[in-house]
């Protein structure tokens, strides 16, 4: 009997939330609220519980917790690959945002599952009735109209999700996005101030790519303020890659329309375009001013350094996680538009 009692005492080495409650002089429910980060616990009680947690070296049993709450403690980031020949290519703009999302998840005590997707795949059904993740973060460019129906499916099946992209009226779910229209206007006003009036736009300009389209419309609004307008002959579709930027600029030159500036829908497009302009014997910014969008790290090191519109990827990543976690906790959320700002460098002649 004594041996059995000894064995029983030796096995009781794992600290429980009940032990924490006894040490802190609170209920077990209060301990749970503190561990969940509930704002309903006052500062003094929270301090006593946290002190007890440290003193007893308590570790949260994530598996048991997930069984009780029916949550996995994991968020899934679905990254839609840019359509480029190099399958290892990831837009540096999204790499920066992934870093911010990862750090925000760590602060929330969440694991992050990163999955690469193709827009044509059945990713909209993969997480239905699944404990893979408590919610989805969607990142990537693509044909908005092509996957709008899949977003509607996510809403129908009750999937918690938030996406980075244009904030649109009556859109399915919530989006965190940049003020693309004002960003385009800033680019246009800057080029107009440099005396440029025939501004070419490289990037999609239709409802299929609403972020690019808003940038185009913003630049057009700036031109119209001085009696001009964007011209169809000076708009060339391009995906967000250096190769597409190069090809789009080459096509622009081949069309023969006169232009004295290029506003590219992304920095990658702008960097590719500058190479095509140089190959055609055009000087940047003397002959053609160039402005991009995103302010990726390599924009500072382009030749010449690229004037661009800055998007705050750090704040964007934080808001994506914060918004999704509020959904997980059953709170009401809404779409958020972040401001854009212009970063002026040598490519625009300023």
């Amino acid at each position: 009997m004594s041996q059995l009692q000894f064995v029983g005492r030796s096995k009781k080495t794992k600290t429980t939330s009940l032990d924490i409650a006894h040490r802190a002089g609170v209920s077990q429910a209060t301990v749970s609220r503190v561990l969940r980060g509930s704002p309903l616990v006052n500062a003094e009680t929270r301090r006593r519980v946290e002190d007890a947690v440290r003193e007893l070296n308590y570790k949260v049993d994530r598996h048991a917790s997930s069984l009780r709450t029916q949550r996995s403690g994991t968020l899934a980031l679905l990254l839609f690959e840019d359509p480029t020949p190099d399958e290892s290519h990831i837009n540096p703009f999204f790499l920066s945002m992934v870093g911010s999302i990862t750090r925000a998840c760590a602060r929330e005590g969440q694991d992050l599952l990163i999955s690469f997707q193709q827009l044509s795949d059945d990713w909209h059904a993969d997480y239905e009735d699944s404990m893979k993740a408590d919610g989805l973060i969607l990142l990537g460019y693509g044909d908005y109209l092509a996957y709008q129906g899949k977003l509607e499916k996510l809403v129908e099946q009750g999937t918690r999700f938030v996406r980075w992209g244009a904030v649109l009226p009556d859109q399915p779910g919530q989006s965190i996005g940049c003020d693309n229209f004002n960003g385009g206007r800033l680019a246009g006003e800057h080029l107009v101030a440099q005396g440029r009036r025939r501004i070419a736009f490289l990037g999609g300009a239709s409802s299929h790519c609403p972020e690019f389209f808003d940038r185009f419309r913003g630049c057009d609004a700036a031109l119209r303020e001085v009696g001009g307008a964007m011209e169809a002959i000076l708009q060339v579709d391009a995906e967000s890659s250096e190769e597409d930027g190069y090809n789009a600029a080459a096509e622009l030159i081949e069309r023969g329309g006169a232009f004295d500036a290029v506003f590219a829908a992304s920095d990658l497009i702008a960097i590719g375009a500058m190479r095509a302009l140089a190959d055609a014997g055009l000087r940047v910014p003397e002959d053609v001013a160039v402005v991009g969008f995103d302010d990726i790290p390599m924009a500072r090191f382009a030749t010449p350094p690229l004037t661009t519109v800055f998007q705050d990827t750090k704040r964007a990543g934080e808001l994506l996680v914060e918004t999704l976690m509020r959904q997980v906790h059953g709170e009401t959320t809404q779409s958020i538009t972040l401001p854009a700002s212009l970063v002026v460098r040598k490519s625009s002649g300023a």
Side-chain angles (χ1 to χ4, degrees):
M1 176 66 79
S2 61
Q3 183 179 11
L4 289 174
Q5 290 174 339
F6 176 77
V7 171
R9 286 195 300 271
S10 67
K11 283 186 176 180
K12 185 174 173 54
T13 57
K14 185 175 181 180
T15 302
T16 68
S17 61
L18 185 59
D19 296 323
I20 299 300
H22 285 316
R23 174 65 67 93
V26 299
S27 69
Q28 195 171 12
T30 297
V31 172
S32 296
R33 282 193 287 270
V34 171
L35 296 177
R36 291 199 310 269
S38 171
L40 302 177
V41 183
N42 66 52
E44 173 59 24
T45 301
R46 183 182 302 279
R47 183 192 62 76
R48 293 208 314 270
V49 171
E50 290 174 347
D51 287 346
V53 166
R54 285 191 293 270
E55 290 166 6
L56 297 178
N57 195 29
Y58 177 67
K59 304 296 183 184
V60 177
D61 187 335
R62 294 288 294 275
H63 177 67
S65 177
S66 66
L67 290 176
R68 289 193 300 270
T69 64
Q70 294 299 300
R71 295 178 189 161
S72 66
T74 298
L75 303 182
L77 170 60
L78 306 190
L79 184 61
F80 299 97
E81 298 178 67
D82 292 329
T84 63
D86 181 2
E87 293 185 355
S88 67
H89 173 81
I90 301 175
N91 189 328
F93 173 75
F94 291 118
L95 282 178
S96 176
M97 198 176 293
V98 168
S100 177
I101 291 170
T102 301
R103 288 186 290 273
C105 283
R107 288 193 295 270
E108 292 283 351
Q110 298 291 303
D111 292 328
L112 182 65
L113 170 66
I114 301 178
S115 175
F116 289 90
Q117 303 285 328
Q118 296 290 337
L119 285 171
S120 58
D121 292 343
D122 291 331
W123 51 270
H124 61 297
D126 282 348
Y127 292 83
E128 185 174 9
D129 299 326
S130 169
M131 286 295 290
K132 288 181 183 177
D134 297 323
L136 311 179
I137 297 172
L138 311 178
L139 286 187
Y141 290 125
D143 187 330
Y144 175 76
L145 297 183
Y147 69 78
Q148 184 178 8
K150 296 183 178 183
L151 298 180
E152 291 169 351
K153 179 67 174 177
L154 291 179
V155 173
E156 290 172 10
Q157 66 194 36
T159 301
R160 294 176 287 257
F161 75 95
V162 62
R163 61 182 287 269
W164 169 261
V167 176
L168 303 171
D170 302 320
Q171 65 181 14
Q174 273 76 55
S175 294
I176 308 299
C178 176
D179 188 346
N180 292 290
F181 180 86
N182 191 54
R185 181 191 289 272
L186 290 173
E189 289 174 346
H190 173 68
L191 289 170
V192 166
Q194 305 308 307
R196 315 291 172 147
R197 294 294 184 274
R198 298 185 60 83
I199 304 174
F201 183 79
L202 305 185
S206 75
S207 57
H208 288 271
C209 36
E211 290 175 286
F212 285 8
F213 193 21
D214 274 354
R215 296 167 194 180
F216 172 86
R217 293 191 308 108
C219 188
D220 181 63
L223 268 180
R224 289 182 184 277
E225 289 177 357
V226 294
M230 304 293 282
E231 301 176 41
I233 194 174
L234 300 183
Q235 186 272 318
V236 185
D237 286 347
E239 300 286 353
S240 191
S241 73
E242 298 99 319
E243 182 176 7
D244 252 42
Y246 185 98
N247 292 335
E251 179 179 336
L252 174 68
I253 294 166
E254 187 176 344
R255 287 182 183 181
F259 63 95
D260 56 13
V262 167
F263 176 33
S266 77
D267 287 349
L268 292 180
I269 294 173
I271 290 168
M274 287 198 294
R275 174 61 62 86
L277 293 171
D279 287 351
L282 296 171
R283 299 168 301 163
V284 175
E286 292 85 356
D287 300 320
V288 180
V290 177
V291 175
F293 206 106
D294 290 337
D295 195 26
I296 61 176
M298 71 175 71
R300 290 174 293 165
F301 301 103
T303 305
L306 180 64
T307 294
T308 184
V309 178
F310 169 74
Q311 298 194 79
D312 191 346
T313 56
K314 179 179 183 295
R315 185 60 183 144
E318 292 169 347
L319 285 173
L320 285 165
V321 174
E322 289 173 13
T323 300
L324 188 54
M325 287 305 299
R326 285 169 57 192
Q327 292 180 18
V328 169
H329 293 142
E331 300 173 18
T332 301
T333 60
Q334 61 184 6
S335 295
I336 299 172
T337 300
L338 294 172
S341 59
L342 186 71
V343 179
V344 177
R345 300 190 179 102
K346 292 182 179 179
S347 70
S348 59

